[in-house]
Amino acid sequence: MSFDENCKGCQMQEMVPNERFNQRLREIKGLISAGFFSEDDIVGKNVLDWECGDGAFALAFRELGAKSVVGIDSWVNFSEEYVHQAKKRGVTLATKSISDIGDEEFDLVFCNTVTEHIQSLHESISAVSSVLGLGGVFFTNHDNYYHPAGSHDHGFVKVKGKGDVVFLAEDCWDQEEKCAASNEHRVRLSKNRPFQWGERFERMLNPVDCTKCPYFIRAQPWAHIAYQKDFSRVFPKTMRIGGSLNKLTPFQLRQILSECGLRIEREARTEVSLAPSATILQADPSLSEALLRTWMVKLSSRKVKV
C-alpha cells in the first residue's frame, strides 16, 4: 500500500481481499526471482513490514513461510477486529513507528513506497538498521520524486504498468467551454483528494490565460519541475518540503543506507516511457534525463559490521 496523505488516520476495518493478497504474493515472488532477497531470507525468519498499510504484504510473507511477521504503520489505525483477524493468520499488526519497535530483532525489513515520504529518513533508516540482525536484509521500493508524476499529484498525472504516463485531467484549455469542460473532473478532485484540490484553486482558475491556471499547470508532466518558481502558488502545502514528500534523489537514499551500516547488494530502476522535453531538461542542469525518467528504484541491502 502506498504511504499516501489520503490514508492518514484512516481506519482499517475489512481484511485484505484475496485478489489483493494474491497480487502481493506474486510481487514478492517476483522480487525473489529478481534476486532482491531469497526464500532463505523468509522461510523460518522474522519479517517486519514497515508502513504496512492494509498488511497485504505482511500476510503474503507469512504465507511464504516466515516464522513471524509484524506489520507496523504510523498513519493507519487498525480496528480491534482487523488486528484479531490478522493474528489468526499469523501476522501481528500495530499502529507505531519504526523507532518504537524496541528490542525486537528481524531478519528482513520490507517497505514499499515508503522511503520517499519519511522526512527524518536518516533517523528512520538508522532505526531499521538497529532492529536488523547482522546479515539481515532491508528492501525498499522507492518512488522517485523527479519523474513526471513524482509530486504525487495523482489526480492529474500518474504512472502505471511498466512506466506508462497517464493523464487524468480534461484538456479544457483546448476547448471552447474552457473551465466548464473540466468542471466534473474538478468536482471529483475536491471530493476524493481535498488535500490537493479545493476552493483555493477554484478561485485561481484562469480561462483568459490558461497557461497561468493551476489546473493547466498541474496537468502537465514534470509540472513540479518545470514550474518550480510558481510552486507555492499552484501546488498544495502537502507537496512542499516538510509535507508528505522528502524529495530525496536515489543517490541520497543510497548514501543514507550506506551511512546506517547497510551494504547495497542489488538495485534496479524502472523508467517511464515518456522522454522529458528540452524545457524540462533546461529547468535545472543538475537534473539528468536518466533521473527525470526514473520512476521506481528497488534497493536491497544487508546489515554489515561498521
Side-chain angles (χ1 to χ4, degrees):
M1 184 174 190
S2 279
F3 189 84
D4 197 309
E5 181 74 18
N6 199 28
C7 292
K8 189 172 184 179
C10 65
Q11 184 85 8
M12 282 296 170
Q13 298 281 0
E14 299 180 5
M15 189 45 64
V16 178
N18 285 336
E19 182 179 353
R20 182 168 174 80
F21 167 76
N22 289 329
Q23 174 193 342
R24 293 314 199 192
L25 196 60
R26 289 193 297 270
E27 289 179 36
I28 293 174
K29 289 180 178 179
L31 292 171
I32 293 172
S33 297
F36 286 100
F37 42 81
S38 69
E39 291 183 3
D40 290 341
D41 294 314
I42 300 173
V43 178
K45 300 297 176 63
N46 300 319
V47 176
L48 174 65
D49 186 359
W50 174 30
E51 302 296 354
C52 64
D54 60 8
F57 275 118
L59 293 167
F61 276 114
R62 179 63 173 166
E63 177 73 13
L64 289 170
K67 176 183 177 182
S68 71
V69 182
V70 175
I72 60 170
D73 200 295
S74 57
W75 283 27
V76 173
N77 296 317
F78 301 103
S79 69
E80 289 186 12
E81 178 60 21
Y82 200 92
V83 172
H84 175 67
Q85 290 299 323
K87 194 71 174 178
K88 287 171 62 176
R89 295 172 65 174
V91 172
T92 300
L93 296 178
T95 301
K96 62 171 63 175
S97 70
I98 187 68
S99 59
D100 295 327
I101 289 295
D103 296 329
E104 295 182 73
E105 186 172 281
F106 298 90
D107 303 292
L108 170 63
V109 176
F110 176 93
C111 69
N112 183 56
T113 60
V114 172
T115 47
E116 67 269 18
H117 294 280
I118 308 298
Q119 294 300 324
S120 53
L121 188 59
H122 194 288
E123 178 182 330
S124 294
I125 297 299
S126 179
V128 166
S129 183
S130 70
V131 302
L132 268 178
L134 190 62
V137 176
F138 172 59
F139 171 84
T140 179
N141 190 21
H142 181 86
D143 191 340
N144 175 40
Y145 176 75
Y146 300 91
H147 69 73
S151 66
H152 284 54
D153 206 358
H154 291 157
F156 290 92
V157 184
K158 295 186 75 171
V159 182
K160 292 185 176 182
K162 297 182 178 180
D164 297 322
V165 180
V166 180
F167 299 96
L168 302 172
E170 292 290 337
D171 57 350
C172 52
W173 51 88
D174 285 334
Q175 300 184 44
E176 185 177 348
E177 301 93 333
K178 296 299 182 181
C179 299
S182 62
N183 184 67
E184 185 177 337
H185 179 242
R186 299 195 323 271
V187 169
R188 289 200 306 272
L189 282 177
S190 296
K191 179 181 179 181
N192 300 329
R193 307 184 73 84
F195 52 91
Q196 291 186 341
W197 188 269
E199 185 59 34
R200 173 194 165 201
F201 297 113
E202 285 290 315
R203 292 195 299 267
M204 295 167 60
L205 295 175
N206 189 345
V208 176
D209 186 355
C210 295
T211 62
K212 295 181 180 179
C213 179
Y215 188 84
F216 168 82
I217 289 173
R218 290 167 62 182
Q220 310 307 309
W222 291 284
H224 55 304
I225 305 295
Y227 295 91
Q228 186 186 48
K229 293 180 180 179
D230 228 7
F231 195 94
S232 294
R233 184 179 72 88
V234 300
F235 286 95
K237 291 182 179 180
T238 56
M239 294 182 184
R240 299 178 187 176
I241 292 176
S244 63
L245 295 167
N246 56 37
K247 309 187 181 184
L248 296 178
T249 64
F251 175 86
Q252 290 171 308
L253 173 60
R254 293 198 308 272
Q255 182 68 23
I256 289 172
L257 296 181
S258 178
E259 290 180 6
C260 292
L262 299 169
R263 184 186 63 219
I264 296 170
E265 295 200 331
R266 180 157 177 74
E267 176 178 351
R269 301 188 181 196
T270 305
E271 286 192 343
V272 297
S273 56
L274 185 66
S277 66
T279 301
I280 303 299
L281 290 170
Q282 292 166 7
D284 189 316
S286 68
L287 303 179
S288 67
E289 180 172 350
L291 177 62
L292 292 166
R293 294 190 68 170
T294 297
W295 173 26
M296 304 302 299
V297 182
K298 292 180 174 66
L299 286 165
S300 63
S301 56
R302 287 190 185 272
K303 183 175 178 177
V304 296
K305 287 184 178 181
V306 292

